[in-house]
Amino acid sequence: MIQEEKGYFVLSTDNSSYIFRVLGTGHLDNVYYGKRLDDLTGIERLSTSGNLFLATIPYYDEEHQNLFPEIIRSEYPTPLKGDARESALEIEGKRGIESLTLLYDSYRIFKGKDFSFPAFANADEKTETLEIKLKDELLPIEVLLRYTVYEEEDVILRSATIINSTDSAIKLRNAASLSLDLPYDDFNLLTYSGAWGRERQEERRKLLSGIVVNDSKLGVTSNEHSPLVFLERELTGEVYGFNLIYSGNHRETVEVSPFGKTRVITGINPWLFEWKMQSGESFNTPEAIMTYGEKIEDASLSFHHFTNKYIIRGEWQYRERPVLINSWEAVYFNLEEEKLLALAEKASELGFELFVLDDGWFGSRRNDRRGLGDWYVSPEVFPDGLGSFSEKIHSMGLMFGLWMEPEMVNPDSELYRKHPDWVIEIPGRKAALTRHQAVLDITREDVRDYLYSSLEAVISSANVDYIKWDMNRTITDLFSSNPSCHSNGELQHRYVLGLYELAGRFTERFPEILFEGCASGGNRYDLGMLSFMPQIWTSDNTDLYQRMTIEAGTLRGFPQSAMGAHVSASPGHQSLRTSLIENRFDVAAFGSLGYELDLTKLSELDQEAIRNEIAFYKKYRKIFQFGDFRPLSSSDPELVFWSVTDGKTTIVMEFIKRMLPNTGKCDRLIIPFLSSDKHYRITNRRIIIPKEFFGDLWPQWNKEENEVFECVVSGDILSKAGILLPPRFMGNGLQSSISPVSDNGTRMYIIEEAQD
Ligand code: GLA
């Protein structure tokens, strides 16, 4: 709900209020963002702007000696008018950076949403938007600020449009999507950083005076710093969450001022950015989202609900995602039709639903040094074409999926030789390469047309149900031969716009196909891609221990349905760590499940385990993919508990990082969100543990399965005190009541309402 009263704008969601007002001078001043307020009597007492004295700080003008831009809680700050914090907007005019004062002009409130950046959040009849028009007090430059309120999801979507009504061209140097000033400075900042193979590791730091920058300069969202950030108050544990619907260079600055305030700005990274705006032109920023929650789990759930409902769209929205087998780690580039069919045959026998043909099926691509860009089916691999192969897969009862990497080219390819100017490289300079490949200049329409027509022909020639859209390097050597790209400063944003145009063409042409984004694993894991493709490959690293932290970080901001999660071989191809397939499954089950290993080489017992895992996953798939995910707390740092629930059935995974013997205690499971007035039956998932796991101790255990656990407990106990799980093996006493589990071991518990 959005209301305007006496110059106050009040935006309400089910659990939060966002309030700002217009000062007498026309400045916007944020008043409150936090737990929902219903009675606003005395709201004037919430803002100090215009009432304070500050020493040696510039005031607005002689008539407003108490109005200090430095402490106004601005909604879209500009530089050089006394606010020395980071600004949301920087415009270069004839004399360089302009000093701007944006003042209120007018507002509109309307149902739904009437603005669309190419990657965007949907709206519906429940959604309302407030648009505020600001004008500079001197130059004819206008800014439209938009706030779309998603009540049930506790999310507010923000964006801005900059309009150049001057009579000459200007240059945009910075145009943020969202700026928010909070009146506190007791925050911890949570960020999600890493690199290939260790994406989105949660880092928590206490904020002190000054600026923290979280950004990407790689041309993609990057695995180095996700645009997802949270601010958590030390005093109360309350959380503010932010994310950006964009897939290129982004920047989040968080600034603690000397005057007890914290400013968050998110948007396109102003680093090397510039955008020429002719007279009369406007520029739309990407959209950003923010949420408020009493604790981080609430903020995460708000982002999950919002993403499933308003970001993910099309035929696969809320549709259960198929269990897939991917050929990459099974055979890498050694593609032979017979071998692939044997893999598919085995997959079909074990209960799989989708076979994905990964890299290597096209042009001269027999290894990663050549062929990228030549999008025709290789007759060497598929002499009868892809149509015939896909029919063979379908005849086994499996759907058929295909990998592609449209944005890339190997210098050793027909495409590169024919169109060297289609590549982002600087003429006369040696360009940097990654994995022997260069980036195509998809700011150019002719490049996009080629990619669309060649790949559309391949896809139409076969019966394709799924596409993995990969992107295996970042952007360097800025130069475009595209004349409408005015400068290198425009190139990276134009690249993202080109990407969205191309992705939109494919997803509109093939609405029934399930698309999965990918960029060397999770190098472009963002809401922008998710608005085109319902899921993204999370990381190339499928090691269960490392996956646990990667998935935990990812799930802070993105729902399980969007998180591609695979079980692969042991020892792991990224870690050389050995583990049980049942434990690897437990970690992967919290996303959209797949397997990526040679099924034909597995022992009978591992095959049996996979058959059981897939059957179990299918039974609870809706809960795993679309239920409410919450990590549960544990006082033992060696334990991790994850839960998913649909309100009736809850599934909990326990992950034991390191086994410590002789602790004298059992692991305690507390599920705080269960109802005190119900009873629950708890059972554990029965798993297969091969004899070799026990080594010399085998004679003592003597069965290839885990412990049996079953009990009925009141919700009162379970939600407050918790229950003790079976004692773990601790050096002796391998009996049936003991849980034989070791490092990186897992157990899955199913909690269902018990009929008394
Ligand atoms: C990237 C992807 C992998 C796989 C390979 C194929 O690394 O992340 O999943 O598709 O490319 O080359």
Side-chain angles (χ1 to χ4, degrees), residues 519-686:
S520 309
N523 202 20
R524 195 164 60 188
Y525 202 106
D526 61 67
L527 295 171
M529 290 316 286
L530 284 176
S531 74
F532 291 93
M533 308 183 182
Q535 57 191 61
I536 301 179
W537 179 223
T538 311
S539 171
D540 281 345
N541 190 348
T542 47
D543 171 83
L544 81 175
Y545 177 77
Q546 288 148 4
R547 257 293 166 144
M548 197 221 349
T549 59
I550 295 169
E551 291 186 10
T554 306
L555 289 169
R556 283 293 202 202
F558 303 90
Q560 310 93 277
S561 65
M563 187 174 80
H566 295 182
V567 174
S568 50
S570 171
H573 292 195
Q574 297 76 32
S575 62
L576 276 181
R577 201 192 308 271
T578 49
S579 58
L580 296 180
I581 197 149
E582 297 276 33
N583 298 151
R584 275 172 274 147
F585 163 78
D586 282 354
V587 177
F590 285 78
S592 284
L593 179 68
Y595 288 68
E596 192 164 333
L597 74 174
D598 191 347
L599 301 172
T600 64
K601 283 194 192 140
L602 295 180
S603 68
E604 285 293 322
L605 218 55
D606 273 1
Q607 292 183 33
E608 186 57 32
I610 293 183
R611 192 176 283 117
N612 297 343
E613 290 160 6
I614 293 181
F616 177 83
Y617 184 75
K618 284 180 181 166
K619 179 167 176 201
Y620 296 108
R621 169 161 46 192
K622 217 174 178 151
I623 305 177
F624 278 123
Q625 295 183 352
F626 298 103
D628 281 354
F629 171 88
R630 292 182 188 87
L632 304 176
S633 38
S634 160
S635 58
D636 184 340
E638 294 300 330
L639 298 184
V640 172
F641 288 105
W642 287 356
S643 70
V644 275
T645 186
D646 64 357
K648 276 177 113 38
T649 302
T650 299
I651 298 174
V652 169
M653 177 189 68
E654 180 189 23
F655 190 106
I656 295 128
K657 294 191 216 167
R658 259 183 316 170
M659 165 67 193
L660 282 178
N662 203 26
T663 57
K665 57 182 186 186
C666 292
D667 304 342
R668 185 182 293 265
L669 169 65
I670 308 176
I671 313 177
F673 57 82
L674 292 180
S675 308
S676 311
D677 54 4
K678 289 191 175 132
H679 286 171
Y680 295 92
R681 176 176 311 283
I682 309 176
T683 50
N684 62 350
R685 185 171 86 81
R686 308 310 314 286

Side-chain angles (χ1 to χ4, degrees), residues 196 199 326 328-329 332-333 358-360 365 368 372 403-405 435 437 468 470-472 517-523 537 539-541 566 596:
W196 176 87
E199 293 90 341
N326 180 297
W328 181 241
E329 287 196 12
Y332 291 103
F333 281 111
D358 211 279
D359 200 352
R365 181 85 168 167
D368 66 6
L372 262 182
W403 177 97
M404 64 188 204
E405 195 178 357
R435 211 191 181 201
Q437 65 194 61
K468 178 171 166 191
D470 208 343
M471 197 278 190
N472 281 313
C518 174
S520 309
N523 202 20
W537 179 223
S539 171
D540 281 345
N541 190 348
H566 295 182
E596 192 164 333

Side-chain angles (χ1 to χ4, degrees), residues 206-238:
K206 182 174 168 41
L207 290 178
L208 301 170
S209 296
I211 304 172
V212 177
V213 174
N214 176 77
D215 77 345
S216 167
K217 302 186 181 85
L218 296 165
V220 288
T221 347
S222 95
N223 46 30
E224 296 189 358
H225 306 288
S226 166
L228 172 73
V229 298
F230 293 97
L231 286 178
E232 186 179 61
R233 282 199 70 195
E234 286 193 324
L235 181 70
T236 57
E238 291 167 288

